[in-house]
Amino acid sequence: QAQLEESGGGSVQAGGSLRLSCTASRHTNTPNYVAWFRQAGKGKEREAVAVIYISNSRPIYADSVKGRFTISLDDAKDTVYLQMNSLKPEDSGMYYCAAAILWFDGSWSSERAYNSWGQGTQVTVSS
């Protein structure tokens, strides 16, 4: 399994931007896709935000972030980025990256598709 580490979280005002990074280390298998999830608070469900397919860098976004967030891949650095613009208070939460080694017979937005998770990075957007 890959070890994933997120960074780049912080506190910003509404309308601001942040760029999150997810760096993989110690992986023996290249994942098929890497996604970002967020969790608004303890006890709340994790919401899938965006995914990128490694073979062709194709992104898919949740409706809630379309047009504001961009997921991208830097192969050379084994890093996936999430550029977040026009942030809203409802974007606040713990952001996790997750990697899927195997193809999942279901939606990319299901947590069950992923076998490696990072520890998360906190994003706080104030109004």
Side-chain angles (χ1 to χ4, degrees):
Q1 285 187 354
Q3 181 172 331
L4 304 177
E5 184 172 357
E6 303 95 336
S7 61
S11 297
V12 295
Q13 290 195 325
S17 298
L18 284 172
R19 187 177 79 156
L20 306 183
S21 300
C22 170
T23 302
S25 62
R26 298 206 323 239
H27 67 87
T28 56
N29 296 302
T30 301
N32 288 321
Y33 43 101
V34 175
W36 285 96
F37 285 75
R38 65 186 179 191
Q39 187 174 25
K42 283 189 180 178
K44 300 241 176 130
E45 281 190 17
R46 270 197 278 215
E47 173 194 14
V49 173
V51 68
I52 188 162
Y53 289 85
I54 302 303
S55 61
N56 58 9
S57 296
R58 181 173 75 100
I60 302 176
Y61 300 96
D63 287 343
S64 58
V65 305
K66 247 178 223 177
R68 299 188 298 122
F69 289 13
T70 302
I71 189 170
S72 62
L73 168 67
D74 186 333
D75 262 332
K77 296 182 181 178
D78 280 342
T79 299
V80 171
Y81 300 101
L82 186 68
Q83 177 67 44
M84 307 187 295
N85 299 328
S86 302
L87 282 162
K88 305 175 182 178
E90 52 263 43
D91 293 318
S92 296
M94 188 69 79
Y95 281 69
Y96 300 90
C97 68
I101 300 298
L102 301 175
W103 291 108
F104 179 66
D105 187 20
S107 172
W108 68 270
S109 60
S110 171
E111 291 185 50
R112 294 187 294 131
Y114 302 90
N115 58 299
S116 294
W117 292 81
Q119 295 299 306
T121 185
Q122 179 69 38
V123 171
T124 303
V125 185
S126 57
S127 55

